[in-house]
Amino acid sequence: MIYPIIAYGDSVLRKRAQNIDKGTTDVKKLSEDLFETMYNASGIGLAAPQVGKSIRIFVVDGTALNEDEPEEDKDPSLMGFKKVFINPQILEEDGDEWGFEEGCLSIPQIRGEVFRPEFVKIQYFDTDWNEHIEEYDGMAARIIQHEYDHLEGKLFTDYLPPLKRQLMKKKLADITRGNVKADYKMKFPK
């Protein structure tokens, strides 16, 4: 099932999502729906709040970022990087912060340079409720940090300098009002 993507301005994007109790949600079906919705919107990550569900699950698939790259330019952190994270908790962020221009399916047509630490250690459950503690670096770490922020009620725009945020205020207001074009179905605040 493809969900509409919740647009900037909806309060669900600013709430801290709740943990999922085992047995209360069909996490396999939900993760399939999240992947389907993400692929339909040409995304590389999607968190449940972005489809209106304030629960702690997100999906990632960074493999597409390597597709058109020559072998020597492929990012090793993205090899086979397709995963579901349930009730994740970032245990550690480390390393030098590095900048990269990020975007978000909930904030179409807006991008901005965000600085994030290069390493992340995360604890989470998979769809079979097996617990994992794993470390990621590079682009994989960035994708995880971005999606994890959605579960904490944070958006990439929160990391931008005040002047940059001020300059995009009108564009953000337009998104909230539904005055934006996206190649996927969106749901705008009422």
Side-chain angles (χ1 to χ4, degrees), residues 49-169:
Q50 292 181 274
V51 297
K53 299 181 181 301
S54 190
I55 54 177
R56 297 183 76 78
I57 180 173
F58 65 81
V59 299
V60 298
D61 186 350
T63 57
L65 295 176
N66 274 342
E67 277 176 8
D68 297 326
E69 295 292 329
E71 206 55 45
E72 65 273 8
D73 291 338
K74 290 189 179 196
D75 183 336
S77 77
L78 299 176
M79 300 292 188
F81 184 61
K82 178 182 177 184
K83 293 180 121 5
V84 178
F85 293 82
I86 300 169
N87 295 342
Q89 185 174 345
I90 288 184
L91 303 175
E92 198 177 315
E93 292 175 296
D94 201 10
D96 294 333
E97 291 201 354
W98 60 288
F100 187 83
E101 194 172 79
E102 293 186 17
C104 178
L105 297 176
S106 294
I107 313 173
Q109 301 179 6
I110 292 182
R111 300 189 68 78
E113 187 176 35
V114 176
F115 287 82
R116 296 187 187 272
E118 59 186 318
F119 300 104
V120 66
K121 183 176 186 179
I122 189 166
Q123 176 182 7
Y124 69 96
F125 294 91
D126 62 26
T127 57
D128 292 318
W129 290 97
N130 297 310
E131 188 174 9
H132 301 267
I133 296 178
E134 296 171 348
E135 294 181 16
Y136 294 91
D137 64 359
M139 189 58 77
R142 175 173 295 276
I143 295 168
I144 288 169
Q145 290 163 325
H146 178 108
E147 298 309 324
Y148 184 85
D149 277 350
H150 278 297
L151 304 184
E152 296 295 310
K154 292 172 85 175
L155 300 170
F156 85 90
T157 52
D158 298 343
Y159 293 95
L160 302 177
L163 180 60
K164 176 94 172 160
R165 284 200 312 266
Q166 189 64 36
L167 292 172
M168 62 175 56
K169 213 172 193 168

Side-chain angles (χ1 to χ4, degrees), residues 4-5 11 18 29 43 46 85 93 138 144 147 159 187 190:
I5 304 284
S11 63
Q18 299 300 306
K29 172 72 172 115
L46 187 68
F85 293 82
E93 292 175 296
I144 288 169
E147 298 309 324
Y159 293 95
K187 185 176 177 194
K190 293 190 169 35

